Amino acid sequence: MKKVLVVAAFAAFGLMSCKKDYTCECVTTAAGLQTGTTTVTINDTKGKATETCDEGDDSASVFGITTTTACEIN
């Protein structure tokens, strides 16, 4: 019985860290207007997929016009 519980515990732990497909959507705005949307599928754990997606966040200012890219996991 103990062996069954140990195996079940490891199986449950393994399921919690499974890689899945997550959609990262990045929206770019310039001067307050949406100028583009990009979606990327990331196959990883939720935490790592969120980190990877957040790396796409960016902001730049050229000639007084600020362009911002905000990425989120959907």
Side-chain angles (χ1 to χ4, degrees):
M1 183 67 176
K2 279 186 177 180
K3 290 180 183 179
V4 172
L5 290 176
V6 170
V7 171
F10 279 113
F13 179 73
L15 290 175
M16 290 189 302
S17 62
C18 285
K19 292 183 178 183
K20 296 181 182 178
D21 286 338
Y22 293 95
T23 302
C24 175
E25 181 177 45
C26 297
V27 177
T28 303
T29 58
L33 301 172
Q34 183 175 335
T35 59
T37 302
T38 305
T39 57
V40 177
T41 301
I42 301 170
N43 182 275
D44 213 332
T45 61
K46 186 167 186 174
K48 288 184 181 180
T50 301
E51 286 179 26
T52 301
C53 185
D54 287 343
E55 289 174 3
D57 292 346
D58 193 24
S59 183
S61 192
V62 178
F63 300 116
I65 298 174
T66 301
T67 302
T68 305
T69 301
C71 299
E72 300 277 331
I73 291 286
N74 291 332

